[in-house]
Amino acid sequence: MSHNNSMFEEVLTFGESNTLVGILSRPQHLDQTKPAIVILNSGALHRAGACRSAVTLARSMAEVGYPVFRFDFYGIGDSGYGTSEDLGELSGRKEVALALDLLEKTLGVNSFVLHGLCSGARAAFCAALDD
C-alpha cells in the first residue's frame, strides 16, 4: 500500500479464485456520495495504461476526492484466468460486473463512472447496458 497526504493505493484481488488483480486509488476521506471511477483495459494493455496514463488519471482523481479502480481483465497483466466459460468471452463484461460488485461492497458506493479507450470504451458501454 502506498500513500501521500491526500490519497493512498492498495492492491485488491477478486473474481474467480481471486485471480483478477487491480489497484484502488482512494482519497484519505471517502465521500460515498461521489461515484467510483473504474478505468478499463485497452486491448491487451495492462492496468497501467498506455504510457502509464491510467496511473496518472487514477492518482489525480483520487487526490481530488474520487475513488478510482483500475484492474486487469482475465489473462492480461497480473490477472490470471477465470473459468473455461470466461475464456470464451473476451469482452470484459463479466470482469466489469465483478469489479463494480467489489467496489460496492468495499467502499459502500453505488454509482460509477466507467472509463475506457478503444476496446475499453466498448467494454464500458456493454457493461453499462448490462447494469
Side-chain angles (χ1 to χ4, degrees):
M1 181 182 309
S2 66
H3 59 87
N4 65 27
N5 290 334
S6 60
M7 58 82 67
F8 66 95
E9 295 182 307
E10 61 184 308
V11 176
L12 299 178
T13 58
F14 62 106
E16 292 290 329
S17 304
N18 282 328
T19 56
L20 292 171
V21 178
I23 304 292
L24 176 62
S25 303
R26 60 183 278 186
Q28 289 291 339
H29 304 289
L30 181 65
D31 178 355
Q32 292 175 318
T33 64
K34 290 186 175 182
I37 299 168
V38 180
I39 301 174
L40 304 176
N41 293 100
S42 298
L45 293 176
H46 58 79
R47 66 182 175 270
C51 301
R52 295 182 47 85
S53 60
V55 175
T56 302
L57 177 61
R59 290 176 177 170
S60 296
M61 295 303 293
E63 287 174 354
V64 296
Y66 291 89
V68 183
F69 189 57
R70 54 192 172 85
F71 68 98
D72 294 324
F73 289 156
Y74 283 124
I76 297 176
D78 292 323
S79 288
Y81 291 95
T83 65
S84 58
E85 287 178 12
D86 300 323
L87 295 176
E89 183 183 326
L90 298 175
S91 69
R93 290 167 97 154
K94 182 173 184 175
E95 293 98 315
V96 173
L98 291 168
L100 299 183
D101 290 345
L102 171 73
L103 295 174
E104 190 170 21
K105 290 175 190 165
T106 304
L107 303 174
V109 298
N110 59 13
S111 62
F112 305 93
V113 173
L114 301 177
H115 169 77
L117 301 173
C118 196
S119 61
R122 184 190 56 181
F125 179 76
C126 292
L129 292 177
D130 290 345
D131 200 46

